[in-house]
Amino acid sequence: ILAVGCVFSGLDGFGLPPLWSCSAQFIQVNIDPEHIAFNPPADLALLGDAELVISELLARAKNFKPSPKRKEWAQKLQRLNQEHRQRIINEAKRDWKKIHPAQLVLELKNLLRELDDFYAVLDGGNTCLWAGMLIDLPGERRGFFPTGMGTLGSGLPMAIGVKKAVGESAPVVILSGDGSFLYSLQEFETLLKYQLPIKVVIFNDSAWNMIRAGQVSFVGEVFGTELPPSDYAEVAKSYGCFGAKVKKKEEIAPALQSALSSDLPAVVDVDIDPDTIPDSLISFAMVEFEGAGFGMLDMLKSLLKGKIKLDIRLLNQLKYILKI
């Protein structure tokens, strides 16, 4: 594994088992020696500038041809990724009582596709997983997320920096969970003061749902992770900004369009289904909750209590587990 400028963190399993193979060998390239072998050991450490090291590696790599097995492996990974993505899309397009979070991402994706240019900032837990799976950016350096930090509330401050850098050339859109939005909603005063028309789309499930989902799946009880139903569109309006509340999927596109057309900072607050969680959270849980003693009995209790919904969502999660 060639890791360039990379610090392995909780979001990618620290480069350690069980998420990573025990037989993996790491070539780690970094300009900062403290970031080499920070978590997984380095079988080969290269201290240097990424561009210089990669240029030299590419020059030498021209003399080598990848083996057929390597090509087959890469094709298998691409196929698994495409199958997973399509499974999520098919699930999201079903009729649900509440808005499927992936449906919100797809609606936003379709709308942003019509723009010549845009920048996306991610803020939150599950919200970032949904967006990372499904949203497509129009080029390099268009997506911003504090990778490895798990930082909540960084969206608005980060978006202010992005907007000041790009100016009026393109809209800046934040995809945020409701919990993460609560950390920095006061910055709407800053947005209005400096006339920064940043758009915030809130995935509002009235919960700290990355943690709640783990409680539901592995414990069968919910402790301190639910938030009261709130209308953050009204909060935005109280600052003199644009606000729209969405409770039905047919309201998503018009609300997003109105927000993007507004010259004001904007909030589109969308109520989503708290019982729909990204199955990639399972990979995260394998690392973060390792050794916590979760068992099948707790999951069965959760099913019997109705905490875990017995439907296509659970089936798709089981398919995901079997693949990993």
Side-chain angles (χ1 to χ4, degrees):
I1 295 164
L2 176 63
V4 182
C6 172
V7 177
F8 291 89
S9 68
L11 294 178
D12 46 38
F14 302 107
L16 302 170
L19 209 59
W20 295 76
S21 170
C22 295
S23 61
Q25 292 181 303
F26 289 89
I27 302 171
Q28 298 184 35
V29 182
N30 210 301
I31 200 167
D32 186 346
E34 292 188 2
H35 287 166
I36 294 178
F38 187 75
N39 277 308
D43 295 275
L44 175 61
L46 297 176
L47 184 64
D49 177 82
E51 183 177 4
L52 294 175
V53 173
I54 292 175
S55 297
E56 182 69 18
L57 288 173
L58 287 173
R60 292 176 179 269
K62 292 177 181 178
N63 300 322
F64 297 91
K65 292 184 179 180
S67 69
K69 287 186 177 180
R70 176 81 180 184
K71 186 176 181 180
E72 291 172 7
W73 179 68
Q75 290 173 341
K76 178 184 177 182
L77 292 180
Q78 290 175 344
R79 177 175 54 79
L80 288 173
N81 183 56
Q82 290 167 357
E83 289 175 356
H84 172 242
R85 184 178 172 123
Q86 190 58 51
R87 191 166 67 242
I88 295 302
I89 292 172
N90 294 341
E91 178 185 297
K93 289 185 176 180
R94 287 172 169 256
D95 288 328
W96 299 98
K97 291 182 179 179
K98 294 185 178 181
I99 296 171
H100 193 296
Q103 181 65 46
L104 174 54
V105 178
L106 292 172
E107 293 279 358
L108 180 61
K109 172 185 170 182
N110 290 336
L111 197 60
L112 292 175
R113 188 184 294 166
E114 300 175 4
L115 303 176
D116 294 330
D117 205 2
F118 71 89
Y119 294 82
V121 177
L122 306 184
D123 188 2
N126 289 348
T127 300
C128 297
L129 297 182
W130 290 116
M133 283 190 287
L134 296 172
I135 203 163
D136 297 317
L137 299 174
E140 298 176 349
R141 299 181 181 180
R142 302 308 175 98
F144 297 85
F145 170 64
T147 306
M149 300 294 288
T151 307
L152 295 179
S154 62
L156 267 172
M158 193 183 302
I160 289 172
V162 174
K163 189 60 181 174
K164 292 298 289 184
V166 302
E168 298 180 2
S169 63
V172 175
V173 181
I174 305 173
L175 283 70
S176 176
D178 51 329
S180 54
F181 181 69
L182 282 170
Y183 272 88
S184 52
L185 64 84
Q186 70 276 7
E187 295 302 337
F188 260 74
E189 187 274 335
T190 305
L191 301 185
L192 196 63
K193 180 190 295 182
Y194 293 102
Q195 300 180 347
L196 301 172
I198 292 168
K199 318 301 179 183
V200 184
V201 181
I202 300 177
F203 289 60
N204 191 344
D205 51 20
S206 297
W208 305 99
N209 212 4
M210 181 172 270
I211 307 302
R212 177 185 177 276
Q215 294 175 342
V216 167
S217 299
F218 301 119
V219 182
E221 300 289 347
V222 175
F223 304 98
T225 52
E226 294 184 330
L227 295 169
S230 301
D231 189 337
Y232 300 108
E234 289 299 319
V235 175
K237 290 178 183 178
S238 73
Y239 279 98
C241 301
F242 175 91
K245 182 69 173 180
V246 174
K247 296 186 177 182
K248 299 179 180 179
K249 66 178 181 179
E250 55 267 23
E251 299 171 350
I252 297 174
L256 292 174
Q257 185 65 65
S258 296
L260 288 169
S261 301
S262 172
D263 294 329
L264 294 170
V267 164
V268 178
D269 182 12
V270 184
D271 286 348
I272 61 170
D273 192 342
D275 295 319
T276 305
I277 63 171
D279 48 19
S280 54
L281 182 61
I282 297 167
S283 297
F284 184 76
M286 285 173 62
V287 178
E288 290 296 302
F289 302 146
E290 184 187 7
F294 300 127
M296 292 301 296
L297 183 60
D298 291 323
M299 295 187 71
L300 182 59
K301 288 179 181 177
S302 193
L303 274 169
L304 293 174
K305 291 179 179 179
K307 297 291 185 181
I308 297 179
K309 307 303 178 183
L310 192 60
D311 55 29
I312 188 66
R313 294 172 293 187
L314 180 58
L315 178 61
N316 282 340
Q317 288 178 25
L318 291 174
K319 288 180 180 178
Y320 181 86
I321 290 171
L322 291 173
K323 291 293 184 183
I324 60 174

